Amino acid sequence: MSGQGFTWIDLVILIVYLIFVLFFGNYFAKKEMIGKEFFKSDGTVPWYVTSVSIFATLLSPISFLSLPGNSFGGTWILWFAQLGMIIAIPIAIAFFLPVFAKLDIDTAYDYLERRFDNRGLRVVSAIIFIIYQIGRMSIIIYLPSITLAELTGLNVNILIIAMGAIAIFYSYTGGLKSVLFSDFVQGIIVLVGVTLSLIILINGIDGGVGTIAETLADGKFIAPDEQWFSPTIFEDTVFLVFVGAGMNTLTQYISSQDIVQRFTTTTNTKDLTKMMLTNGVLSLFIATILFLIGTGLFIFYGQAGIASGMDQDLAYGYFIAYQLPIGVTGVLLAAIFAASQSTLSTGLNSVATSVALDIVEVFDTKGKYDYKSKTKIARGVTIVVGLFAIVVSMIMVQSNIVSAYEWFNGFVGLVLGVLGGVFALGIFTKRGNAVGAYIGFLVSAVVMIIIEFVIPEEINISIWANSLVSIIVAFVAGYLGSVIYSAISSKDSKREDYSSILDFNKN
């Protein structure tokens, strides 16, 4: 291994990658995307491209670096969080995607309006998503740029501007289709680069795969003091991590516009199923590879006698910068950029879509804006939000306020997770109505805020229980509220046909 750090060859590879991505998505878009094509593509994107796009979107650069860090500094218990998608994917395929496809929804929150016959619910949900996504994008630009700057010696502000500007460019010009194809190539770069680094790492370990297997068997997979199961929600057991993360992933699949937007590209349920299953396989594959890398790094640096003094979240980054052969380092740094840009471009496009279709369209009661006008609005939003995220990221570099942003991101993320229960109320019941949806949303949000910020730390409810609690509370409170309101008002809830999975049992 070279040990030479970031070289000019690696810099050339990184620059070539950035130029390639800059034009790749728009080349495949081929024509200017206007109207619904800008927001939902033109129906020509293959399902496997969209599947890789979902995979690339969910794999943020934070996960790219932190997953190996988890198994480097601890065990594989959080690997079961990734495994939780084997709960999320079948539920989404069986109950939610058929409804989304039948209604041919424009956005995630378009479903809420059509199911509960309430525009306000659509607008409120969209605003919460937009605020959450803007905060998340700032962190997505900031954190990997800091890491890349430390590893490469490049100016962090230049990296921030490059990362944001490229994502703005192809999100602005080609719309969702450009984003999907760009995500596709970036997902492939991540898969190839990470797998290549594992192979090189194994070759650098005395004993190779055998040593990794022995280390895992000796308590590095699951430690003796880590429990597999507990009937409570106060301990981070393997079962709770698995189920809780599965529910968290499910809420992303069904209620987060950046993911649901991928499902709007087709109404073919077979393609949607293939899309989800392929995404699941890719996500589990990359998670397993990253956890193997973390364990391998623990052994590699342990054999070198320096494992104990290393920051676990930087272990993989240092390996990329200083242990990989010249050229391969550039490929892996490009992979980190790829993970960042796929998440960022998706965020930009989903926010722009939500502003144009969930807010402007809802308030445009006189039909002033056609789809061409909404496309212009969305493009303007893409530029403004992208520049805002870049500026905030640069401010974060100077003021070191990342912890405050992570608190904000976590807080809004809790509320966003509550939406999953409201979607479940719509999908699994016929009696759920708008009043019940608001009640479920508010009660669940209050409960989650109490759990996170009011309950004493010594009670220590596991964070992996958050999604379970929020979904159950929102669903139960929403259903009871719906029933009570219907009984008091003697009004039947209005909704579109086939907006509940129960409608599919009709003869």
Side-chain angles (χ1 to χ4, degrees):
M1 297 187 187
S2 67
Q4 297 183 32
F6 187 70
T7 67
W8 68 268
I9 296 176
D10 299 310
L11 179 60
V12 169
I13 291 173
L14 185 58
I15 292 174
V16 168
Y17 155 76
L18 294 175
I19 294 173
F20 176 72
V21 169
L22 193 62
F23 298 102
F24 181 86
N26 290 305
Y27 170 79
F28 275 91
K30 292 183 180 178
K31 65 176 181 178
E32 187 178 14
M33 296 286 124
I34 297 176
K36 277 204 173 186
E37 291 181 347
F38 184 87
F39 303 111
K40 300 176 66 172
S41 185
D42 56 2
T44 63
V45 180
W47 65 265
Y48 55 84
V49 170
T50 307
S51 181
V52 175
S53 174
I54 296 173
F55 153 74
T57 297
L58 290 173
L59 182 70
S60 72
I62 301 170
S63 300
F64 188 97
L65 296 170
S66 65
L67 292 184
N70 287 332
S71 57
F72 175 86
T75 66
W76 278 47
I77 188 170
L78 293 185
W79 178 77
F80 288 90
Q82 315 302 313
L83 196 64
M85 67 178 55
I86 69 174
I87 296 176
I89 289 175
I91 293 175
I93 289 174
F95 302 112
F96 290 86
L97 296 191
V99 175
F100 292 168
K102 184 72 174 179
L103 295 180
D104 191 16
I105 59 174
D106 290 334
T107 70
Y109 316 113
D110 176 32
Y111 167 75
L112 293 181
E113 178 186 350
R114 294 165 69 177
R115 169 59 183 85
F116 295 107
D117 190 32
N118 188 276
R119 290 188 166 191
L121 192 62
R122 177 177 183 174
V123 173
V124 170
S125 301
I127 290 173
I128 290 172
F129 167 77
I130 290 166
I131 294 172
Y132 163 77
Q133 193 63 245
I134 290 175
R136 181 170 182 258
M137 282 190 290
S138 299
I139 298 173
I140 291 298
I141 298 176
Y142 167 76
L143 289 179
S145 296
I146 286 288
T147 302
L148 286 169
E150 183 173 344
L151 297 177
T152 64
L154 297 174
N155 183 279
V156 64
N157 289 325
I158 292 176
L159 291 170
I160 287 173
I161 292 172
M163 190 178 298
I166 292 172
I168 290 172
F169 176 81
Y170 64 77
S171 299
Y172 175 91
T173 53
L176 182 59
K177 186 173 183 178
S178 178
V179 170
L180 292 175
F181 273 103
S182 298
D183 283 358
F184 176 74
V185 70
Q186 292 177 144
I188 298 300
I189 290 172
V190 170
L191 288 166
V192 172
V194 171
T195 303
L196 181 61
S197 69
L198 175 62
I199 294 171
I200 295 172
L201 174 60
I202 290 174
N203 288 332
I205 294 173
D206 292 339
V209 175
T211 302
I212 293 177
E214 290 175 4
T215 303
L216 290 173
D218 288 341
K220 196 64 175 170
F221 184 66
I222 296 295
D225 61 342
E226 290 177 328
Q227 291 185 295
W228 285 86
F229 177 79
S230 171
T232 73
I233 59 173
F234 301 102
E235 299 176 81
D236 290 345
T237 64
V238 171
F239 178 76
L240 185 58
V241 169
F242 170 64
V243 176
M247 291 297 100
N248 188 54
T249 302
L250 178 63
T251 61
Q252 288 184 285
Y253 285 149
I254 66 176
S255 64
S256 188
Q257 168 61 11
D258 53 345
I259 304 301
V260 175
Q261 190 173 7
R262 270 84 182 127
F263 303 147
T264 67
T265 60
T266 179
T267 57
N268 186 315
T269 53
K270 290 184 178 179
D271 282 351
L272 287 171
T273 298
K274 290 187 288 187
M275 192 187 300
M276 288 292 284
L277 292 175
T278 303
N279 162 65
V281 170
L282 292 176
S283 298
L284 285 176
F285 171 80
I286 202 70
T288 302
I289 295 295
L290 289 171
F291 271 85
L292 281 171
I293 287 173
T295 302
L297 291 172
F298 173 79
I299 298 167
F300 177 82
Y301 287 119
Q303 290 176 347
I306 57 176
S308 59
M310 183 167 292
D311 185 328
Q312 68 178 44
D313 289 332
L314 292 177
Y316 188 31
Y318 281 126
F319 180 80
I320 291 171
Y322 299 109
Q323 298 297 332
L324 292 179
I326 295 173
V328 179
T329 295
V331 172
L332 264 295
L333 292 175
I336 296 177
F337 248 97
S340 303
Q341 286 185 309
S342 59
T343 305
L344 179 59
S345 62
T346 294
L348 288 172
N349 189 263
S350 61
V351 167
T353 298
S354 201
V355 169
L357 300 187
D358 290 320
I359 297 177
V360 172
E361 183 175 295
V362 167
F363 286 104
D364 182 28
T365 55
K366 296 182 179 180
K368 178 180 178 182
Y369 298 101
D370 58 13
Y371 267 104
K372 186 174 182 180
S373 300
K374 292 170 190 171
T375 303
K376 291 181 179 179
I377 292 172
R379 284 178 167 157
V381 171
T382 297
I383 294 175
V384 172
V385 170
L387 292 175
F388 178 78
I390 289 172
V391 171
V392 171
S393 298
M394 296 174 74
I395 292 173
M396 291 169 72
V397 171
Q398 300 299 320
S399 52
N400 193 29
I401 57 173
V402 64
S403 59
Y405 266 80
E406 289 176 338
W407 177 89
F408 166 81
N409 207 38
F411 170 75
V412 181
L414 286 174
V415 180
L416 184 64
V418 171
L419 284 175
V422 178
F423 273 79
L425 176 68
I427 292 290
F428 292 114
T429 75
K430 290 184 177 182
R431 300 190 68 179
N433 54 46
V435 172
Y438 279 116
I439 291 172
F441 182 88
L442 291 173
V443 171
S444 185
V446 169
V447 169
M448 296 312 300
I449 291 171
I450 291 173
I451 288 175
E452 186 70 13
F453 304 109
V454 178
I455 291 179
E457 291 185 6
E458 53 267 21
I459 296 180
N460 194 31
I461 295 176
S462 172
I463 61 170
W464 298 105
N466 282 348
S467 292
L468 280 170
V469 173
S470 60
I471 290 174
I472 292 172
V473 171
F475 181 85
V476 172
Y479 186 76
L480 292 175
S482 297
V483 171
I484 294 171
Y485 175 76
S486 295
I488 294 174
S489 65
S490 299
K491 293 181 179 179
D492 294 327
S493 59
K494 295 180 180 180
R495 62 183 182 85
E496 288 191 24
D497 286 340
Y498 296 102
S499 58
S500 165
I501 195 65
L502 300 179
D503 294 335
F504 286 72
N505 294 327
K506 294 180 178 179
N507 293 325

